[in-house]
Amino acid sequence: MKRRLLNYINEMEQKEYTNLNELEKREVREKMLIQIQFFQHERLIHLIVTVTFAMLLMMAIIGFFLSKTIPFLILEGLLLVLLVPYIKHYYLLENGVQKLYMIYDRFC
């Protein structure tokens, strides 16, 4: 998804929009809106997953403080190892979609 988003952003940034007629401009805007919707959906799914993992991590931390057992500590480590890439990926999706909004506004 990262590669697809970055490639699409580059493609849209390099597009010579001024050389198109009105019909071609409308088609580009419509196709771009569809792609933005796909990326928005992906962003929403990753937000839900990221928040879920963050809540599970918080519950594991509370569980460790209450019980002081090693399994909770191991669970914290595993959740943290998974949460960091999810946050990084969500950050990329969020910034990519925001950039697509700016490109779309420029086309309009």
Side-chain angles (χ1 to χ4, degrees):
M1 183 55 64
K2 176 183 177 180
R3 189 176 312 131
R4 182 172 184 237
L5 176 61
L6 294 177
N7 287 341
Y8 188 71
I9 289 171
N10 288 334
E11 178 185 329
M12 289 296 109
E13 285 178 331
Q14 295 172 1
K15 192 171 251 338
E16 285 297 324
Y17 195 69
T18 56
N19 299 337
L20 302 176
N21 63 37
E22 276 305 310
L23 180 62
E24 292 171 330
K25 287 179 182 180
R26 188 175 334 126
E27 287 177 4
V28 168
R29 285 193 305 260
E30 287 173 3
K31 288 179 182 178
M32 190 170 187
L33 279 178
I34 291 170
Q35 290 300 314
I36 288 173
Q37 289 174 347
F38 288 148
F39 291 124
Q40 285 174 330
H41 181 263
E42 185 77 15
R43 181 179 66 173
L44 176 63
I45 297 303
H46 280 279
L47 175 64
I48 292 168
V49 170
T50 302
V51 168
T52 301
F53 271 87
M55 289 172 35
L56 289 172
L57 178 62
M58 290 297 118
M59 288 190 291
I61 290 171
I62 292 169
F64 175 72
F65 281 125
L66 294 176
S67 69
K68 304 281 193 228
T69 60
I70 298 298
F72 276 110
L73 194 58
I74 294 170
L75 181 61
E76 285 176 39
L78 292 173
L79 289 171
L80 192 60
V81 165
L82 289 171
L83 185 61
V84 170
Y86 277 127
I87 291 172
K88 185 178 176 184
H89 187 67
Y90 179 74
Y91 179 81
L92 171 81
L93 287 171
E94 179 67 33
N95 288 333
V97 170
Q98 295 296 325
K99 190 160 191 137
L100 286 175
Y101 290 158
M102 288 188 288
I103 294 169
Y104 181 80
D105 288 343
R106 189 182 75 211
F107 284 173
C108 291

